[in-house]
Amino acid sequence: AQTVTQSQPEMSVQEAETVTLSCTYDTSESDYYLFWYKQPPSRQMILVIRQEAYKQQNATENRFSVNFQKAAKSFSLKISDSQLGDAAMYFCAYRSDNYGQNFVFGPGTRLSVLP
Amino acid sequence: DTGVSQDPRHKITKRGQNVTFRCDPISEHNRLYWYRQTLGQGPEFLTYFQNEAQLEKSRLLSDRFSAERPKGSFSTLEIQRTEQGDSAMYLCASSLDRGFSGANVLTFGAGSRLTVL
């Protein structure tokens, strides 16, 4: 079974600075998808960014970008120009490309943004 | 469309009682997922539906748990004879799966928080 690990339970960053959240995963498959979800305090989870494993180019969404290292099974999230609204729990998630597979989430990293 | 709706948002019950949660997905989404999340942890998969068919169930889904999605629209998650260990946030998510390789994306509801006394 696939597993997702986030080794940083908590991180903090100064407003306007850059922070990187780590994620590693374990799989024997070659085709899959990776996601970062954000869960603000007492609010619902929303998608931040996604990456298809067959794409070598790292995904980017405005201030959010990923560093996808397929051989190392690593999928880190970089947040540039951090804003107070970025404070949240961040979850890394994996989904197999095999039809019928569910999403597997990591334990999360709590990000604090300091003014 | 107002997104994924879950009801109730909060439920406090006594041990041994039955509870039922409802999820209304985004109308055009054919997949519906239930997850459980305890404080400070990531969501744990419980089950998911493709239209009205329940395609996968986690080992976490004991015999006291049952989920339905009649007619492929809304879904209910019932927990019978609740235990204190059932206290958690129950998250519903939906997605549009087109039946071919592609990254369907989960849209989550706000969750239903269960407290078992």
Side-chain angles (χ1 to χ4, degrees):
Chain A
Q2 294 84 10
T3 58
V4 177
T5 301
Q6 294 177 250
S7 60
Q8 306 153 315
E10 296 184 358
M11 293 280 286
S12 62
V13 62
Q14 291 288 141
E15 198 174 3
E17 297 295 309
T18 296
V19 65
T20 298
L21 308 184
S22 301
C23 172
T24 58
Y25 56 94
D26 184 27
T27 184
S28 59
E29 299 177 328
S30 59
D31 295 322
Y32 48 87
Y33 303 89
L34 297 165
F35 306 82
W36 279 98
Y37 277 86
K38 169 186 177 181
Q39 188 175 40
S42 301
R43 296 182 62 185
Q44 64 202 79
M45 203 169 312
I46 57 174
L47 177 70
V48 175
I49 198 167
R50 70 181 184 190
Q51 174 81 42
E52 293 88 344
Y54 63 84
K55 289 186 177 179
Q56 292 187 337
Q57 186 174 6
N58 290 322
T60 299
E61 289 285 344
N62 301 315
R63 298 183 295 109
F64 299 88
S65 61
V66 299
N67 183 3
F68 172 49
Q69 301 290 327
K70 190 172 185 179
K73 298 180 183 176
S74 171
F75 183 61
S76 60
L77 174 69
K78 186 172 80 172
I79 306 174
S80 304
D81 186 25
S82 297
Q83 300 175 359
L84 294 178
D86 295 332
M89 283 290 288
Y90 286 82
F91 295 98
C92 179
Y94 169 102
R95 179 184 179 265
S96 168
D97 193 32
N98 292 328
Y99 187 73
Q101 296 297 315
N102 73 79
F103 290 70
V104 178
F105 286 82
T109 296
R110 181 176 302 280
L111 178 66
S112 301
V113 181
L114 309 174
Chain B
D1 197 336
T2 56
V4 179
S5 300
Q6 292 191 245
D7 184 70
R9 293 291 307 278
H10 303 276
K11 178 71 176 179
I12 300 174
T13 190
K14 294 182 178 180
R15 188 178 58 183
Q17 298 295 305
N18 299 343
V19 296
T20 299
F21 301 114
R22 175 180 170 124
C23 173
D24 287 89
I26 293 173
S27 56
E28 63 266 29
H29 283 185
N30 53 2
R31 283 202 172 185
L32 187 148
Y33 297 76
W34 285 100
Y35 283 84
R36 182 173 72 183
Q37 186 180 27
T38 53
L39 196 62
Q41 299 298 314
E44 296 174 294
F45 171 74
L46 293 178
T47 188
Y48 87 90
F49 294 83
Q50 174 90 6
N51 299 313
E52 66 275 11
Q54 189 173 19
L55 294 188
E56 189 173 345
K57 294 195 294 185
S58 163
R59 291 189 304 274
L60 293 174
L61 213 66
S62 74
D63 291 344
R64 297 184 297 105
F65 289 69
S66 63
E68 295 182 341
R69 193 184 182 197
K71 302 179 182 178
S73 55
F74 71 92
S75 176
T76 58
L77 176 68
E78 181 183 17
I79 308 174
Q80 296 182 327
R81 304 182 303 281
T82 53
E83 303 173 354
Q84 288 184 326
D86 297 330
S87 296
M89 177 76 84
Y90 289 85
L91 298 172
C92 177
S94 68
S95 70
L96 177 61
D97 186 273
R98 296 182 176 87
F100 58 87
S101 178
N104 69 70
V105 174
L106 294 179
T107 301
F108 281 87
S112 293
R113 181 170 297 282
L114 174 65
T115 301
V116 181
L117 302 177

